[in-house]
Amino acid sequence: MAPPSPLVPSLPEPPRSRFGLLRALFLTGIAGYLIAIGASVKLLVAGLSVAGVAVAGGLQVLSSAGGLALVAGSGIVLYKVAQVARRRLLWRVRRKLIVSYVLIGFVPAFLIVVFFVLCGWLLFANLSSYLVRASLADLGVKATAVAMGAALDLEQAGDLAEAEAVLERRQASAELALPGLSLAIVPVADDRCGGQHVPTSRLTSALRSTPVRVGDWTHLDPPDQLPTWMRCDGFAGALAYEAGAPAQAPTTASAREVELVVRAVVISQRMRGYAVVADLPVSDAIKSRIEESTGIAVGSGSLVDSANTALKGRMRASAGPAATGPVVPGPAAPVPSVALLDVYDWPTGRAQALPVQIGMSIQGIYHRLSVTQASIGKQTFGDLLIYGLLTVSVLFFVIEVGAAATGLALARSITRSVHELFGGTERVRQGDFGHRIAVLARDQLGELAGSFNLMTASIEDLLRQSAEKKRLEEEMRLARDSQMSLLPRGPLAISGMRVAAVCVPAREVGGDYYDVLPLPDGRVGMLIADVSGKGMSAALYMAELKGLILSLSQIHASPRDLLIAADRLISEHLDSRSFITMTYAVIDPAMRTMTYARAGHTPLLYLPGASSPGGRAEVLVPDGMVLGLRLDNGERFVSMLEETALSLHAGDRLAFFTDGISEAMNDDSECFGEPRLAQLIEDHPDLPVEELRERILREIDAFVGGAAQHDDMTLILLEVVGDGPADVRRE
């Protein structure tokens, strides 16, 4: 496998080691210490408790501290587990998109559906509770009417037999409408209605000793007397009783199942010595009639408060035949709900809420409500609304399913593209820049995949170019070393003279060339040249020039003759767009003379020494053309070339330089210039040539500033120090 490329940063990977995960959660950090300490403390306390040591005082505090440590450590672990689970579950983009869709698309739709279902359930629950209340109230009204009729008939009765006959007649006439109705006559004290005087009959006197009861009375024992809280205006309401217990014995047990009975009490307004009590148990027959008329199935009630009381009954009432009638449409399983009904405590008259189980038939209730509306053909307006609601619901369901399928498909498409990109980046990270991603769609992700392919292709090309550049740089480094080997190595030492030289190419290799050549008869040849252009071509011409000059210097003693021969030879091989400038001088230490010729090169600077103290530097510019122009057969070059001789004295200084020195430019395109160079030489006549060379280079660097070097710089400084033979040594 190829090593990762430095151009692509490494991507973090989620932890994969289960042991490492468990270790991070439990074995390191404060969570592990808290769990370990808490568990140790708890085990210690448990061991002491098993050993018979009483856990109290300090041990109890220690046990509590251990429990707190366990809770804190477990909380930290749970938090870390949640963080790890979130990172691992949501690391993939597909899971993020699915979670986003669920939170944005599915959850709001689900909550909207739940909201409307709850609203409908609440509406129908309240309506059902109201209908049950209304049904029980209607039963109370009917029972009150029967009791009131019996009370009116009893005003004409003279004895108990007639009274019982009246009750039986009333009970029989109401049996069909009110199955299970039971009647009783209860004596009433004289002061019940404010102590008013009421006439007393034989019936009233007889009732005080022998109550009259008609009906089954299987649910409760008939009351012997009215409770003290009841006034003369009577009573109508629901009572709760527990089936299967002795009558009239209240109980306070909690969460017990009870049944309902509707009781009506009518006190005679004319003969106030008695009252008629009518009991109508809410039996199966009554519940069937309520369900038939309302679509609501009534169940039993539950007393959940220990303060609530119920009468002890005999058995669950089921008197009367089941109601028959037209079949009303309704669901197979009614919706369970609870209705809160007001029931009364018979001994105290206190009202209390009784939860009663009911079963709502949504279709049945709606049918009973809609039958009262006007019909459009065979359908009511409510039916049309139901059809519209069902249509909208089906459309909503279809749209939601389609949106879910579309969302999952889009998530799969997006994550597939993202996975391809991730796999591509992994391949790139491993150094495989030839990997390409398949463009699956013409969308933004497809464009991104195409851009990735272009990027990897560009990186692959850049790597090839980088490798090629490194190869060229290495070759240029070798070429630079080879070129620098052509120049004089180390400091130059000439008897009777000091020489300091430097060559700084603008690029890896350059076209400047200088040399100091030993000649016959003790003379010394001094050469400085500049090939036009920069780079490899100039370096090659410079190498060719060195070999040529080394040969010609041994043949021609005159600088002019050497330059003429060099021009003739170089012109045959030099490119028409190139030329060479050169200055060649022959120094005769014995004669203290320097003969030189200039072929279009920069001038020489000459500073007289001890013979002219305080003198100024002279610019020596003999005539001469550049080498290699090939304008003619060399006649013009020969005619213009001038050779000059200069007498040398102790302390004299000479400066040979290329145009890279005088034409060094700063950011304002201003050249360093020959006057500045001459001024530097004049200002430091006593400075050794080595230090003067460094001073000149520093001044040029300060003048140029941040500007790039645009040409090769070569400088030779020569100082005459005394008499002696001309001996050139290269160290």
Side-chain angles (χ1 to χ4, degrees), residues 396-672:
F396 180 80
F397 177 76
V398 171
I399 291 173
E400 186 67 20
V401 171
T406 304
L408 293 178
L410 289 176
R412 183 175 180 274
S413 174
I414 293 173
T415 54
R416 181 173 57 183
S417 300
V418 172
H419 180 72
E420 290 290 335
L421 288 172
F422 176 75
T425 55
E426 284 293 304
R427 297 286 293 272
V428 170
R429 186 171 68 90
Q430 295 170 5
D432 183 9
F433 294 98
H435 179 71
R436 298 293 182 268
I437 298 176
V439 179
L440 303 176
R442 294 186 176 275
D443 53 9
Q444 191 173 21
L445 289 173
E447 293 293 331
L448 181 60
S451 299
F452 178 86
N453 292 336
L454 292 176
M455 180 194 69
T456 53
S458 300
I459 293 177
E460 190 175 18
D461 185 60
L462 286 175
L463 290 177
R464 286 195 296 266
Q465 294 180 10
S466 177
E468 182 67 18
K469 183 179 179 181
K470 288 183 178 179
R471 185 185 66 81
L472 292 176
E473 288 177 351
E474 180 64 20
E475 292 182 357
M476 294 299 292
R477 185 186 66 80
L478 296 176
R480 179 187 178 90
D481 294 341
S482 299
Q483 183 188 28
M484 298 307 292
S485 67
L486 298 178
L487 301 176
R489 298 183 180 180
L492 297 173
I494 302 176
S495 298
M497 296 183 183
R498 294 194 183 99
V499 182
V502 65
C503 180
V504 182
R507 297 180 182 175
E508 287 78 3
V509 291
D512 283 6
Y513 169 56
Y514 78 93
D515 208 346
V516 177
L517 307 173
L519 301 177
D521 302 330
R523 294 172 300 153
V524 179
M526 184 75 66
L527 168 70
I528 185 169
D530 185 4
V531 181
S532 63
K534 295 177 286 293
M536 185 61 69
S537 62
L540 292 175
Y541 286 132
M542 187 269 283
E544 182 180 0
L545 178 64
K546 177 181 177 66
L548 182 63
I549 296 301
L550 286 177
S551 298
L552 294 177
S553 63
Q554 302 299 321
I555 300 173
H556 301 284
S558 168
R560 185 173 184 275
D561 295 340
L562 184 143
L563 292 179
I564 292 173
D567 176 67
R568 184 178 68 254
L569 296 174
I570 288 177
S571 298
E572 297 177 359
H573 308 286
L574 196 63
D575 186 5
S576 60
R577 295 171 296 180
S578 302
F579 59 88
I580 299 174
T581 66
M582 184 172 63
T583 297
Y584 180 69
V586 176
I587 302 173
D588 189 347
M591 301 298 296
R592 290 285 186 163
T593 59
M594 183 183 75
T595 306
Y596 63 96
R598 186 182 69 91
H601 198 71
T602 54
L604 281 73
L605 294 180
Y606 170 65
L607 180 64
S611 60
S612 301
R616 299 184 61 83
E618 300 179 15
V619 179
L620 306 179
V621 192
D623 291 338
M625 288 181 59
V626 298
L627 282 72
L629 288 182
R630 290 189 295 182
L631 297 177
D632 47 25
N633 293 327
E635 290 83 357
R636 184 175 300 180
F637 180 83
V638 173
S639 62
M640 294 184 63
L641 188 60
E642 180 182 353
E643 182 179 289
T644 304
L646 178 66
S647 297
L648 301 178
H649 306 279
D652 291 351
R653 293 191 174 191
L654 290 167
F656 299 78
F657 59 93
T658 60
D659 55 0
I661 297 290
S662 58
E663 295 178 2
M665 290 188 296
N666 56 19
D667 292 330
D668 298 329
S669 299
E670 181 183 1
C671 293
F672 185 75

Side-chain angles (χ1 to χ4, degrees), residues 350-369:
R350 181 171 58 88
Q352 58 190 13
L354 176 67
V356 177
Q357 300 175 3
I358 61 175
M360 298 184 298
S361 173
I362 305 298
Q363 184 177 354
I365 295 174
Y366 185 79
H367 176 77
R368 287 166 177 79
L369 294 176

Side-chain angles (χ1 to χ4, degrees), residues 329-381:
V335 180
S337 183
V338 175
L340 291 177
L341 304 179
D342 290 333
V343 296
Y344 294 88
D345 182 23
W346 178 252
T348 64
R350 181 171 58 88
Q352 58 190 13
L354 176 67
V356 177
Q357 300 175 3
I358 61 175
M360 298 184 298
S361 173
I362 305 298
Q363 184 177 354
I365 295 174
Y366 185 79
H367 176 77
R368 287 166 177 79
L369 294 176
S370 63
V371 294
T372 60
Q373 300 176 357
S375 299
I376 303 175
K378 294 183 180 181
Q379 303 293 335
T380 64
F381 182 71

Side-chain angles (χ1 to χ4, degrees), residues 242 245 249-254 256 258 303 305-312:
E242 290 186 274
T251 181
T252 59
S254 61
R256 57 197 190 276
V258 296
L303 287 177
D305 190 356
S306 60
N308 295 336
T309 59
L311 298 174
K312 289 291 185 178

